PDB file of all heavy atoms in Angstrom:
ATOM      1  N   SER A  70      50.452  87.009 -65.360  1.00  0.00           N
ATOM      2  CA  SER A  70      51.195  87.878 -64.437  1.00  0.00           C
ATOM      3  C   SER A  70      52.643  87.433 -64.294  1.00  0.00           C
ATOM      4  O   SER A  70      53.564  88.254 -64.296  1.00  0.00           O
ATOM      5  CB  SER A  70      50.502  87.882 -63.061  1.00  0.00           C
ATOM      6  OG  SER A  70      51.268  88.607 -62.120  1.00  0.00           O
ATOM      7  N   ILE A  71      52.857  86.113 -64.174  1.00  0.00           N
ATOM      8  CA  ILE A  71      54.213  85.589 -64.058  1.00  0.00           C
ATOM      9  C   ILE A  71      55.020  85.927 -65.311  1.00  0.00           C
ATOM     10  O   ILE A  71      56.174  86.384 -65.228  1.00  0.00           O
ATOM     11  CB  ILE A  71      54.180  84.069 -63.833  1.00  0.00           C
ATOM     12  CG1 ILE A  71      53.664  83.747 -62.425  1.00  0.00           C
ATOM     13  CG2 ILE A  71      55.561  83.442 -64.044  1.00  0.00           C
ATOM     14  CD1 ILE A  71      53.416  82.271 -62.182  1.00  0.00           C
ATOM     15  N   PHE A  72      54.436  85.724 -66.482  1.00  0.00           N
ATOM     16  CA  PHE A  72      55.157  85.994 -67.731  1.00  0.00           C
ATOM     17  C   PHE A  72      55.445  87.482 -67.881  1.00  0.00           C
ATOM     18  O   PHE A  72      56.521  87.871 -68.329  1.00  0.00           O
ATOM     19  CB  PHE A  72      54.359  85.477 -68.925  1.00  0.00           C
ATOM     20  CG  PHE A  72      54.463  83.980 -69.137  1.00  0.00           C
ATOM     21  CD1 PHE A  72      54.898  83.143 -68.130  1.00  0.00           C
ATOM     22  CD2 PHE A  72      54.137  83.409 -70.348  1.00  0.00           C
ATOM     23  CE1 PHE A  72      54.992  81.774 -68.297  1.00  0.00           C
ATOM     24  CE2 PHE A  72      54.238  82.029 -70.546  1.00  0.00           C
ATOM     25  CZ  PHE A  72      54.657  81.207 -69.518  1.00  0.00           C
ATOM     26  N   ASP A  73      54.464  88.315 -67.526  1.00  0.00           N
ATOM     27  CA  ASP A  73      54.685  89.769 -67.620  1.00  0.00           C
ATOM     28  C   ASP A  73      55.837  90.201 -66.718  1.00  0.00           C
ATOM     29  O   ASP A  73      56.686  91.026 -67.110  1.00  0.00           O
ATOM     30  CB  ASP A  73      53.417  90.526 -67.227  1.00  0.00           C
ATOM     31  CG  ASP A  73      52.389  90.581 -68.351  1.00  0.00           C
ATOM     32  OD1 ASP A  73      52.780  90.368 -69.523  1.00  0.00           O
ATOM     33  OD2 ASP A  73      51.211  90.836 -68.063  1.00  0.00           O
ATOM     34  N   LYS A  74      55.851  89.672 -65.518  1.00  0.00           N
ATOM     35  CA  LYS A  74      56.915  90.057 -64.574  1.00  0.00           C
ATOM     36  C   LYS A  74      58.281  89.630 -65.096  1.00  0.00           C
ATOM     37  O   LYS A  74      59.232  90.411 -65.088  1.00  0.00           O
ATOM     38  CB  LYS A  74      56.653  89.434 -63.197  1.00  0.00           C
ATOM     39  CG  LYS A  74      55.501  90.098 -62.447  1.00  0.00           C
ATOM     40  CD  LYS A  74      55.248  89.412 -61.109  1.00  0.00           C
ATOM     41  CE  LYS A  74      54.116  90.071 -60.363  1.00  0.00           C
ATOM     42  NZ  LYS A  74      53.832  89.401 -59.067  1.00  0.00           N
ATOM     43  N   HIS A  75      58.376  88.397 -65.568  1.00  0.00           N
ATOM     44  CA  HIS A  75      59.684  87.928 -66.029  1.00  0.00           C
ATOM     45  C   HIS A  75      60.112  88.621 -67.314  1.00  0.00           C
ATOM     46  O   HIS A  75      61.316  88.828 -67.536  1.00  0.00           O
ATOM     47  CB  HIS A  75      59.675  86.421 -66.175  1.00  0.00           C
ATOM     48  CG  HIS A  75      59.588  85.706 -64.849  1.00  0.00           C
ATOM     49  ND1 HIS A  75      60.509  85.911 -63.853  1.00  0.00           N
ATOM     50  CD2 HIS A  75      58.691  84.806 -64.375  1.00  0.00           C
ATOM     51  CE1 HIS A  75      60.186  85.158 -62.810  1.00  0.00           C
ATOM     52  NE2 HIS A  75      59.092  84.496 -63.092  1.00  0.00           N
ATOM     53  N   LYS A  76      59.164  88.989 -68.139  1.00  0.00           N
ATOM     54  CA  LYS A  76      59.504  89.797 -69.313  1.00  0.00           C
ATOM     55  C   LYS A  76      60.077  91.134 -68.872  1.00  0.00           C
ATOM     56  O   LYS A  76      61.090  91.604 -69.426  1.00  0.00           O
ATOM     57  CB  LYS A  76      58.264  90.013 -70.177  1.00  0.00           C
ATOM     58  CG  LYS A  76      58.489  90.913 -71.388  1.00  0.00           C
ATOM     59  CD  LYS A  76      59.455  90.301 -72.396  1.00  0.00           C
ATOM     60  CE  LYS A  76      59.641  91.191 -73.597  1.00  0.00           C
ATOM     61  NZ  LYS A  76      60.609  90.616 -74.561  1.00  0.00           N
ATOM     62  N   SER A  77      59.453  91.738 -67.858  1.00  0.00           N
ATOM     63  CA  SER A  77      59.928  93.046 -67.387  1.00  0.00           C
ATOM     64  C   SER A  77      61.291  92.928 -66.723  1.00  0.00           C
ATOM     65  O   SER A  77      62.060  93.884 -66.690  1.00  0.00           O
ATOM     66  CB  SER A  77      58.921  93.658 -66.417  1.00  0.00           C
ATOM     67  OG  SER A  77      58.924  92.978 -65.170  1.00  0.00           O
ATOM     68  N   TYR A  78      61.627  91.744 -66.168  1.00  0.00           N
ATOM     69  CA  TYR A  78      62.934  91.544 -65.563  1.00  0.00           C
ATOM     70  C   TYR A  78      64.032  91.335 -66.599  1.00  0.00           C
ATOM     71  O   TYR A  78      65.208  91.389 -66.265  1.00  0.00           O
ATOM     72  CB  TYR A  78      62.934  90.337 -64.633  1.00  0.00           C
ATOM     73  CG  TYR A  78      61.917  90.372 -63.531  1.00  0.00           C
ATOM     74  CD1 TYR A  78      61.413  89.187 -62.991  1.00  0.00           C
ATOM     75  CD2 TYR A  78      61.428  91.578 -63.007  1.00  0.00           C
ATOM     76  CE1 TYR A  78      60.460  89.198 -61.984  1.00  0.00           C
ATOM     77  CE2 TYR A  78      60.484  91.600 -61.989  1.00  0.00           C
ATOM     78  CZ  TYR A  78      60.008  90.387 -61.490  1.00  0.00           C
ATOM     79  OH  TYR A  78      59.071  90.407 -60.482  1.00  0.00           O
ATOM     80  N   GLY A  79      63.655  91.040 -67.854  1.00  0.00           N
ATOM     81  CA  GLY A  79      64.640  90.796 -68.888  1.00  0.00           C
ATOM     82  C   GLY A  79      64.797  89.345 -69.264  1.00  0.00           C
ATOM     83  O   GLY A  79      65.684  88.995 -70.044  1.00  0.00           O
ATOM     84  N   MET A  80      63.930  88.457 -68.761  1.00  0.00           N
ATOM     85  CA  MET A  80      64.030  87.031 -69.088  1.00  0.00           C
ATOM     86  C   MET A  80      63.616  86.786 -70.553  1.00  0.00           C
ATOM     87  O   MET A  80      62.798  87.483 -71.117  1.00  0.00           O
ATOM     88  CB  MET A  80      63.104  86.201 -68.184  1.00  0.00           C
ATOM     89  CG  MET A  80      63.408  86.349 -66.703  1.00  0.00           C
ATOM     90  SD  MET A  80      65.052  85.761 -66.241  1.00  0.00           S
ATOM     91  CE  MET A  80      65.029  86.097 -64.479  1.00  0.00           C
ATOM     92  N   ASN A  81      64.222  85.740 -71.143  1.00  0.00           N
ATOM     93  CA  ASN A  81      63.864  85.386 -72.520  1.00  0.00           C
ATOM     94  C   ASN A  81      63.551  83.913 -72.700  1.00  0.00           C
ATOM     95  O   ASN A  81      63.311  83.476 -73.833  1.00  0.00           O
ATOM     96  CB  ASN A  81      64.958  85.821 -73.503  1.00  0.00           C
ATOM     97  CG  ASN A  81      66.338  85.264 -73.146  1.00  0.00           C
ATOM     98  OD1 ASN A  81      66.444  84.221 -72.516  1.00  0.00           O
ATOM     99  ND2 ASN A  81      67.380  85.969 -73.553  1.00  0.00           N
TER     100      ASN A  81
END
Side-chain angles (χ1 to χ4, degrees):
S70 175
I71 289 172
F72 282 18
D73 280 342
K74 287 178 180 178
H75 291 303
K76 176 65 179 179
S77 72
Y78 303 152
M80 302 297 180
N81 55 26

